[in-house]
Amino acid sequence: MVSARVNDMAAAAYAGWLREDATLEEMRTGFDGMCPEPAADATLTEGVVGGVRGTWVEVPESGGAGSSATILHFHAGGYLIGSPTSHRDLGARIARAAGARVFLADYRLAPEHAFPAAHEDGVAAYRGMLADGVDPASLVVSGDSAGGGLALAVLAAARDAGDPLPAAGVLMSPWADLTLSGDSMDGREAVDPLVSRAVLTEMQQGYLQGADPTDHRASPLLGNLAGLPPLLVQVGSSEVLEDDAVRIADGVLRAAGEAFLQVGYEMVHVFQMFADRLPEGAAAIDRIGAFVRARVRSAATV
């Protein structure tokens, strides 16, 4: 179930642009415009990492260039919409909670740039961080929704290539199975006010454009989950994508890895983006901050 409070908030936030007749440009503009501005003390700086453009987000508490942690974040949007603009507030809140500087990667979007463009950009941005001298022991890879799936795929690619792995990964409402095979895809559809199988099918088709949805670069949940850095996985109990999060955590644990699953009761898709309106979203970001701080410290002592 979703409480009336959360349902009304989500409906108001998405009203006007998440319509069946909305054009892709209307959706992109609407998604960017829906999201709040970051706090006045947040510093936003355009940058390029590994050839991928993006936005650096820092707050006074994140310590600037000498910050103890650097977070590479991949935004939501089903690989079709979303941008650093849509995620500036989320980035600033995570930066503050984690004592980190955050790079919001502006990876290429479909349908202009079909699969595997986003994956290629994600891997390039990660390797760019390493090439720029970021200590992997102070690096965290994160993402929300499709960006959560992309973050998981980037971690798997780094492992497979023998690249140094980051201290941790953070996944918020990850979409990591583009075959849409999770039980919650149908079991939660009646209570999810934001996401549905139909919406995800359109996004899947727009991104893959005929490519195999079982390809592990698109659906990392279906691949090898062993040998990954510790993961924090957050999801709402009222999401069609709940099962993606549960299966990621379960798969990592079965592969003898570390994964921590946090389920927000009656929370909706990427409820952390509504931290200005939902205390539960703000609390989830605080938990992300605590996880990042602890993992960066522990990795640095190894």
Side-chain angles (χ1 to χ4, degrees), residues 30-238:
F31 190 45
D32 284 355
M34 175 195 79
C35 304
E37 293 291 329
D41 64 350
T43 300
L44 308 175
T45 307
E46 300 304 307
V48 178
V49 176
V52 179
R53 295 185 179 277
T55 300
W56 285 103
V57 183
E58 300 176 54
V59 298
E61 290 84 348
S62 63
S67 173
S68 61
T70 298
I71 299 176
L72 171 61
H73 186 83
F74 301 111
H75 64 76
Y79 297 107
L80 303 182
I81 65 176
S83 72
T85 298
S86 64
H87 280 61
R88 292 178 298 180
D89 181 62
L90 180 62
R93 289 176 183 272
I94 292 174
R96 196 181 310 278
R101 55 178 185 153
V102 177
F103 184 73
L104 302 173
D106 194 12
Y107 60 88
R108 289 173 291 171
L109 297 178
E112 299 93 330
H113 304 284
F115 171 82
H119 183 269
E120 292 171 348
D121 286 356
V123 172
Y126 181 74
R127 290 179 175 163
M129 286 284 180
L130 301 179
D132 288 346
V134 176
D135 183 353
S138 70
L139 181 58
V140 173
V141 175
S142 70
D144 58 304
S145 192
L150 179 55
L152 184 62
V154 167
L155 292 173
R159 175 204 60 203
D160 293 344
D163 294 333
L165 292 178
V170 175
L171 313 178
M172 291 165 265
S173 299
W175 183 28
D177 174 11
L178 269 63
T179 71
L180 311 182
S181 62
D183 290 342
S184 59
M185 194 61 57
D186 296 318
R188 294 287 185 272
E189 186 154 19
V191 298
D192 190 329
L194 300 179
V195 185
S196 66
R197 179 182 290 275
V199 167
L200 291 175
T201 297
E202 289 187 10
M203 290 177 164
Q204 177 232 57
Q205 293 173 347
Y207 177 48
L208 294 180
Q209 296 186 29
D212 184 0
T214 67
D215 189 309
H216 297 168
R217 295 170 296 173
S219 297
L221 173 55
L222 306 183
N224 178 15
L225 296 179
L228 299 175
L231 298 181
L232 174 63
V233 188
Q234 295 182 337
V235 70
S237 68
S238 299

Side-chain angles (χ1 to χ4, degrees), residues 245-302:
V246 172
R247 288 184 293 161
I248 289 170
D250 182 64
V252 170
L253 292 173
R254 288 177 179 272
E258 284 188 80
F260 303 87
L261 177 66
Q262 297 175 350
V263 181
Y265 177 64
E266 291 191 342
M267 289 295 104
V268 293
H269 189 58
V270 195
F271 60 97
Q272 300 85 347
M273 288 190 71
F274 304 111
D276 62 321
R277 286 156 279 182
L278 284 179
E280 296 90 342
I285 291 175
D286 286 342
R287 288 191 289 271
I288 291 171
F291 175 80
V292 170
R293 290 176 186 269
R295 290 298 156 179
V296 167
R297 282 198 302 267
S298 63
T301 60
V302 174

